[in-house]
Amino acid sequence: MGRFHLHADGTDHVHELDPDAGHHQDHDHPHPDAGKTPEVGDHSGYLETGQTRITILENLLSENDRVADDNGRRLAAAGVRAVNLMSSPGAGKTTLLRKTLERMGDVVRIGVLEGDIATSLDADQLQGAGATAISVVNTSAGFGGECHLDAVMVRSGMERLPLPELDLLIIENVGNLVCPAEFRVGEDARAMVFAVTEGEEKPLKYPVMFRAADVVVVNKIDLLPHLDFDVDLFLSNLKAVNPRAHIIMASARSGEGVEEWCAWLAAQGELEPTPSQV
Amino acid sequence: MLPGEVRAMHELSICNAIASTAVKHAEGRPVTQVKVQIGHLRQVVPDALQFSWEVVSSTTDLKDAQLVIEQVPAVVECLDCGATTVLDLAILACGACDGFDVKLLSGEELLVVSIDLVDA
């Protein structure tokens, strides 16, 4: 280790000039430590005759990240702040989004990029709620439905949006707690909606997603009287994997916390403060 | 969607990225092995990745290439007590003093390390 590392912001270095780089990738010399190191059982490092090994050390997501950076630059050039909204299926992203549009849609020009596996059902729910523009990206290409939006999908969705007419782009990712966290799409911030019906242990089971979030909206708190959900236990689990996340307790259904969420969104782009409406 | 499907598709996406990286560097030459490093914090299941590789590689020039997965443990350095510890769980806490003020040293790798080619 040591010749490459990832930073918390997702960027990475590869120190290809390190004289020791690639050492353990080509064991075509006698190993003085043979028999002492735990790696000795790994024979994948030995080359058969007539073969050549090429050291690559390339991040698997580098192509995605390159497109994500392009997306980010295009959004910045158009003066648009972008928020990647993620959650498991049914946590309440779309309902929260509809309340958000109703609350701030006539003050802040909001574009919505909807990722959905095969339908436009979510986008249909948002029609008339106050979005300046909505673009749907169905992710059902390739192997029968991707489980996340990647930077290329977001790029094509952005092409159908009037970016100069927008202040804020909300990218509603596909409902899934595993994949979306791996793929940057060019966003300025990442928001996660978590429903209290999902259970206190979820931050420990899906740490990549919970770590990636700048803000966690703890949704459906109107249901708490009917559940055994332990709020303090959940918050301590969340803090264990992501101590820096901003936490908003909310119910998109009752409207509780929606104002705080809208204020957080507005603060992302130093957008005009939302007047109290609802 | 079932949780199992989500997971399999996660590894499938990663395999597509591995395959395209390998094909790009192979420049048409036959590939016998692709070695990747996957950090423990990446939530990649090695068996699912191997299975996905069979599916993905069979549709490309990589159908004879073996996928070798090196798993990289998650290691943190504590900024309070200075200890370097390997994580058992995905909780970013120091294994020595339980402090949360830690720096991640490894565990987020998602890297194509090398490819082996048949000499022309």
Side-chain angles (χ1 to χ4, degrees), chain A residues 83 189-191 214-215 246 248 259-268:
Chain A
V83 173
R190 293 171 148 200
D214 296 300
V215 61
H246 184 68
I248 298 172
E259 184 175 354
E260 189 183 352
W261 157 248
C262 287
W264 180 88
L265 273 179
Q268 296 314 298

Side-chain angles (χ1 to χ4, degrees), chain A residues 58-72:
Chain A
E58 183 171 318
N59 191 306
L60 284 172
L61 298 176
S62 58
E63 177 61 18
N64 180 77
D65 290 350
R66 190 185 62 74
V67 177
D69 290 343
D70 279 352
N71 290 349

Side-chain angles (χ1 to χ4, degrees), chain A residues 9-32:
Chain A
D9 64 2
T11 59
D12 61 303
H13 291 310
V14 176
H15 297 277
E16 291 184 335
L17 298 178
D18 180 341
D20 202 33
H23 174 87
H24 286 282
Q25 280 81 58
D26 44 350
H27 282 179
D28 51 0
H29 59 86
H31 218 288

